[in-house]
Each structure stands twice: as C-alpha cells, then as structure tokens.
Amino acid sequence: MSTYRIEEDCLGQIKVEADKYWKSQTQRSLENFKIGQELMPASLIHSFAILKEACAKANLHFNKITEKQCEAIIEICQRIEDGQYLDQFPLHVWQTGSGTQTNMNANEVISMLGNEYAKENILHPNDTVNASQSSNDTFPAALHIMVAQKINAELLPQLDLMINQIKKLEEENEGIIKIGRTHLQDATPLYFSQELSGYRSMIEHSKAQIIDSLKYVYELACGATAVGTGINCPEGFDEVVTKIISEKTHLPFVPDPNKFHALTSKDAMVYTSGALKGLASNCMKIANDIRWLASGPRSGIHEINIPSNEPGSSIMPGKVNPTQCEALTMVAVQVMGNDTAIGIGASQGNFELNVFMPLIAYNMDQSIQLLSDAIHSFTVHCLDGLKANKETMDKNLHNSLMLVTCLNPVIGYEKAGHASQHAFKNNLTLKESILDLGYLTSEEFDLYVQPEKMIHK
C-alpha cells in the first residue's frame, strides 16, 4: 500500500505519494491531464535546472534570497543537470499551454530537495525558487536554452561528421565520370565527385542556415515575468541572469530586447524549425538519390554499392534493402510534420502570451534529436562504405544518348536531336545513329564525342 502526505494550496488539500518530491501543483497536473504518453523532454528539464540555478545566483546578487537559500538551490539544480531525479518530472506535454505546471514542478522539486539538503525548511517553491520569475518567462527561456544547447552539442557535430565523410568520398572517387540525370532522364556527364560535392554543399548550407537562426534563439525572456512588464523583478535582473547562463553554457545568450515579444511570439522557434526542415529536405533528397543509385542490383541503376547491414526480407533470401536511406527519409517526414505543428502553434499567441509552448518544446526536441541520431546512423552505416560501381557507371555513360549534346556546335541542334531520336527508335548507339544518318565519320565522332571534354571542373 502506498503512503501519502497531504499538500495544501489555495484550492485546498490534495494527496501526494510520500516518496515524491513534488507538491500540489504537480499532483494536480498529473490528475487533470491524463492525455497521451508524451512527457516533457529530459533536455527541457535540464535547461530548467540551468535556468533556476542562474536565477538563484541573480536573486542573491539582488539580495532577494540568502546565501544559504542560493547554495541549496544550486546544489539541487546541479544534481538535476547531472541527470538525477528525472523521475520527479512526470508531467505530460498536453497540459496548460504556458507550461506553468512544468515550471512549478521544477520549483516544487528543487524546494523539497533543497530543504532536505539544508536540513531545514528554507525554500518555498514560489517565494524562493521562483523569485523574480513567472512561468510565462521561465518556460520560453528554458525552451530557448534547450534548443540552443541541443543543436550545438548534438546536431552540429553530426553535420560535421557527415560533411567530412562526403569529402572523403569525393577524394576517393576523383576522376570517375558518370551520366547526369535531370527529370529522372539521362542528361550530360559529370564527375561522380561533383555529384557528391552537391550533397556536401547541401549539408554545409543547412548547417549555416541553422547557425544563423540561433542568433534569435539566444534571446531569452528572463525578466519579463507575467506579461512583459517585469513586475516583481529587480531592474537589471535580465542582464545578470543571461550573463550567468552564457558563462555556464558557453553560448552567447542575451536578454530579448522586447519582453512583450519574448512572451507572445515564438518566431525564433519557427525560424529554427524552418532551418531544421530545410536540413530534412536536403537529407530526404540525398537519401533518395543514394537508394536510387544503389537500386537493383540486377534490375535497377546500380551505379553505387552501399553496405549490406542486415537481411532485407523474411521471404526472399539474400535480399538487401537500403534501410538507412529509409530511416533517414522517415525522420525527414517527421521533422516536416513537426515544423507544421510548430508553425501553427506559434501562430496561436493571444494578447500577451503564447499558449502552445509545451507542444513547440516537444516537437523541437524531437526534431533535433531525430535528425542528430539519423544523420549519425546514415553516415556511419551507409556513407562510410559507399563504393562506386565503375563498370556500370561507364556502361551507362557510353550508352546515353545525351552525349549528343556536345555535337550541337558541330552539326547543329536540329540534326543532333534527330540523331538522338533515330538512335532511340531504332535501338542504335549514338555513334551508329550518327553514321547511319551520314552526319559524321567514325573518326569525327570519336574526336568530338569525348565525355571528359564535356565536363568543367
């Protein structure tokens, strides 16, 4: 049998299991919002701990709390930052749109654990841990800290890993010529390394766009309190607390210059989510190209070989599928869906506050996490081990009718087009078609039709 204690607030009494470190507001949220299985992300709880630690130090600076109170708050926050007590943060995403109950969950847990650490009742969830703050500015601040830290620590290193692996592939495949394709049809030749360089540049551009978007994420709502006026908050609190957070995280956080914007607008999240969607789009394109180029092996394009990681069928022996490509493209679709939800959620700010913040936080966390994990997996299990099938590339190159393009200056566009169609309709090679039509001699054809001369490095 569970044992309970009684907690009390302005709405009355409520029972809380005796071994829990939360109080009435957390318990009321648990009982009132039994919706779904999605919980507040651990990364958001980590960011709340960073924020509460910084606020305690700032409050000490402004003589709002004592040194002993500050020490207790810092001790517990640092334990939470180290991954302790995550089971004390059980709240669902689908709760109040301001995230008030998650802020109070943090305040309650920190106060109870802090009092236990101090061996006396010195912390109060609202009066001490939440001093100079409101849920309306702490949740968006923690959200921004989470996104900035997660992108810098998890996503950007995986983008660098992918970029470096593609650079390696470019070097390994230098000088290999293959047929290009546009509209899913044969086009003019290019070096395989050039095709790969396009993939690399896509990831480099996505990385730059994500980094550019972070300058808005680095703006924090601290000091805005309830509606942006800073009620019950010392003047200059925002500067002090963001400086402390920056020093701790080594990221350039600053106060949002307009606190009313900080509370009601989530445009920074929309912008960064859009950059993540751009990355997802590029990943979708790269993964699709690779699975098409590896298709077959006997009845597809099969210009590249990708690693055989696991059997691909429960009924067809020996079948191997492009599973890493499929995983990455599924992640891309999820991120695109998350971006839609984030954009709609951000549009729902009413008057002085956006009330879709838990939804935005959950989707941002998932998008960053999925992209980080999937890009790592795709890089180490697919790109690392990708090999050019030179024989197939050479066969497709010389069988392509689009080599006729280099004859435009020699026989003219009309004759070149006629030669291409004549070859296709009569199942001839391009050379056989040109000779059959009498446009060039064999020697002239060999002189003008050289794929390597059709490519500019």
Side-chain angles (χ1 to χ4, degrees):
M1 292 289 292
S2 298
T3 57
Y4 296 88
R5 68 177 188 275
I6 301 298
E7 292 288 346
E8 190 167 354
D9 57 23
C10 63
L11 296 181
Q13 295 183 339
I14 189 168
K15 291 197 298 185
V16 178
E17 290 183 19
D19 62 342
K20 306 305 182 189
Y21 284 98
W22 61 73
K23 295 168 80 68
S24 62
Q25 291 208 38
T26 303
Q27 188 63 35
R28 292 191 191 281
S29 182
L30 276 175
E31 295 181 8
N32 291 332
F33 297 100
K34 296 176 181 178
I35 305 172
Q37 298 181 4
E38 297 83 3
L39 303 184
M40 283 295 182
S43 56
L44 183 70
I45 304 306
H46 179 270
S47 295
F48 258 106
I50 291 173
L51 176 63
K52 294 296 177 180
E53 177 186 345
C55 287
K57 292 177 180 178
N59 278 319
L60 177 63
H61 173 81
F62 287 102
N63 297 314
K64 297 273 286 186
I65 62 174
T66 66
E67 287 190 13
K68 194 169 186 178
Q69 290 170 324
C70 183
E71 178 192 345
I73 294 172
I74 291 171
E75 173 65 27
I76 302 308
C77 286
Q78 290 180 348
R79 292 182 192 179
I80 295 170
E81 291 163 32
D82 290 338
Q84 298 182 49
Y85 308 121
L86 281 178
D87 60 334
Q88 299 301 312
F89 297 90
L91 297 189
H92 290 218
V93 170
W94 318 108
Q95 52 160 284
T96 176
S98 63
T100 297
Q101 290 137 14
T102 290
N103 178 48
M104 285 308 304
N105 184 194
N107 292 333
E108 290 175 347
V109 170
I110 292 168
S111 66
M112 288 198 69
L113 285 167
N115 288 335
E116 184 177 88
Y117 167 77
K119 297 182 172 58
E120 58 179 310
N121 190 22
I122 61 172
L123 301 182
H124 185 277
N126 302 82
D127 297 338
T128 317
V129 183
N130 200 60
S132 309
Q133 304 154 64
S134 163
S135 298
N136 295 354
D137 64 1
T138 57
F139 197 100
L143 169 60
H144 281 219
I145 294 168
M146 177 194 78
V147 169
Q149 282 203 304
K150 203 170 181 74
I151 285 176
N152 278 286
E154 299 181 31
L155 180 57
L156 296 184
Q158 298 311 322
L159 296 185
D160 288 335
L161 182 71
M162 189 178 193
I163 289 165
N164 289 333
Q165 180 58 45
I166 298 175
K167 285 180 180 177
K168 181 182 175 184
L169 288 172
E170 289 176 64
E171 294 168 1
E172 291 175 359
N173 293 283
E174 185 71 33
I176 298 175
I177 302 175
K178 68 184 293 291
I179 197 66
R181 295 179 178 88
T182 60
H183 305 272
L184 297 180
Q185 306 296 310
D186 296 348
T188 56
L190 76 163
Y191 288 107
F192 184 36
S193 59
Q194 291 176 319
E195 189 170 50
L196 291 166
S197 77
Y199 301 156
R200 169 179 50 78
S201 186
M202 291 167 74
I203 303 303
E204 288 171 339
H205 275 77
S206 286
K207 177 185 173 184
Q209 290 158 6
I210 291 167
I211 291 173
D212 181 67
S213 76
L214 288 178
K215 63 190 176 188
Y216 303 106
V217 178
Y218 292 135
E219 296 178 350
L220 300 185
C222 302
T225 63
V227 297
T229 61
I231 188 172
N232 295 340
C233 179
E235 186 176 351
F237 182 86
D238 56 348
E239 294 283 354
V240 174
V241 77
T242 51
K243 185 174 185 292
I244 294 168
I245 295 169
S246 293
E247 289 171 352
K248 184 174 182 68
T249 61
H250 307 291
L251 296 173
F253 291 107
V254 295
D256 192 306
N258 188 301
K259 301 297 188 286
F260 307 99
H261 162 267
L263 299 192
T264 197
S265 176
K266 295 290 145 281
D267 52 6
M269 294 298 102
V270 175
Y271 189 15
T272 298
S273 178
L276 296 175
K277 181 174 69 173
L279 171 61
S281 298
N282 281 339
C283 287
M284 174 77 81
K285 182 264 190 294
I286 293 168
N288 274 335
D289 276 10
I290 287 175
R291 62 176 167 178
W292 275 112
L293 291 172
S295 63
R298 296 289 177 85
S299 300
I301 297 174
H302 197 222
E303 289 185 346
I304 63 173
N305 295 306
I306 56 177
S308 300
N309 295 321
E310 63 274 319
S313 173
S314 61
I315 190 172
M316 293 174 280
K319 193 172 191 292
V320 178
N321 296 329
T323 51
Q324 290 296 321
C325 298
E326 291 165 3
L328 184 57
T329 52
M330 283 194 290
V331 163
V333 169
Q334 184 65 53
V335 171
M336 293 172 189
N338 287 350
D339 178 71
T340 298
I342 290 165
I344 294 171
S347 74
Q348 299 301 304
N350 302 124
F351 304 113
E352 276 64 60
L353 185 67
N354 177 279
V355 290
F356 281 68
M357 284 189 287
L359 162 78
I360 293 170
Y362 181 81
N363 282 283
M364 288 297 293
D365 175 79
Q366 187 186 62
S367 289
I368 299 166
Q369 190 68 57
L370 287 177
L371 284 169
S372 301
D373 292 347
I375 287 170
H376 177 83
S377 184
F378 183 75
T379 300
V380 301
H381 295 302
C382 184
L383 293 181
D384 186 4
L386 184 152
K387 301 293 182 184
N389 189 337
K390 298 179 186 178
E391 290 182 4
T392 303
M393 285 186 179
D394 192 65
K395 177 184 174 183
N396 289 341
L397 171 69
H398 288 94
N399 195 43
S400 171
L401 300 179
M402 286 305 100
L403 296 182
V404 76
T405 306
C406 66
L407 293 178
N408 286 356
V410 180
I411 62 175
Y413 183 91
E414 298 294 340
K415 285 185 177 180
H418 182 57
S420 174
Q421 288 298 306
H422 182 70
F424 179 70
K425 290 174 182 177
N426 294 282
N427 198 26
L428 302 172
T429 67
L430 181 60
K431 184 174 183 177
E432 290 169 342
S433 177
I434 291 288
L435 297 179
D436 190 43
L437 293 169
Y439 290 159
L440 294 173
T441 66
S442 177
E443 293 76 13
E444 288 173 329
F445 181 91
D446 292 339
L447 175 65
Y448 294 122
V449 182
Q450 299 182 44
E452 62 272 16
K453 291 184 178 180
M454 299 175 69
I455 307 171
H456 296 288
K457 289 189 177 182

